[in-house]
């Protein structure tokens, strides 16, 4: 619209500089190219094709795990199956936490903690 007005209105055309018209022409071209690429972009919504075309990713990605010996595999399985022990707080620690953060407890939790932590 601005380009049309600058080129079509003789009064505005007379006060426009060449750089203004060139800049508006480039903006219009950029806008037109952006609109023209929308159908191509909708075919690849995840952006993967753009990354491949820019050379940031290879055309095909193959993920392969390294070959493991039986001993290494058994160590990994043992680590996955192992239970991580968690320390349970003592009654005194639980009461101290409740006294410092009583506003965070609501409903049944508040009633339970209030009765067990009362002197």
């Amino acid at each position: 619209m601005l380009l049309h007005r600058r080129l079509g209105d003789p009064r505005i055309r007379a006060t426009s500089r060449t750089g203004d018209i060139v800049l508006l022409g480039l903006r219009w071209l950029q806008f037109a190219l952006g609109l023209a690429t929308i159908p191509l972009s909708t075919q690849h919504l995840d952006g993967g094709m753009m990354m491949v075309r820019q050379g940031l990713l290879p055309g095909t990605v193959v993920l392969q795990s390294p070959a493991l010996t039986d001993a290494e595999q058994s160590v990994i399985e043992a680590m996955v199956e192992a239970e991580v022990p968690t320390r349970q707080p003592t009654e005194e620690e639980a009461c101290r936490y409740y006294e410092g953060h009583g506003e965070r407890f609501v409903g049944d939790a508040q009633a339970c903690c209030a009765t067990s932590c009362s002197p």
Side-chain angles (χ1 to χ4, degrees), residues 74-91:
S74 64
V75 168
I76 290 174
E77 288 176 8
M79 289 171 57
V80 169
E81 295 297 323
E83 183 177 333
V84 178
T86 56
R87 190 179 74 79
Q88 295 297 318
T90 64
E91 187 73 26

Side-chain angles (χ1 to χ4, degrees), residues 33-57:
L33 285 173
L35 286 179
T37 59
I38 288 175
L40 296 173
S41 298
T42 58
Q43 295 173 5
H44 306 284
L45 294 176
D46 64 346
M49 185 54 82
M50 178 185 67
M51 300 295 277
V52 169
R53 287 187 178 163
Q54 289 178 349
L56 300 175
L57 293 175

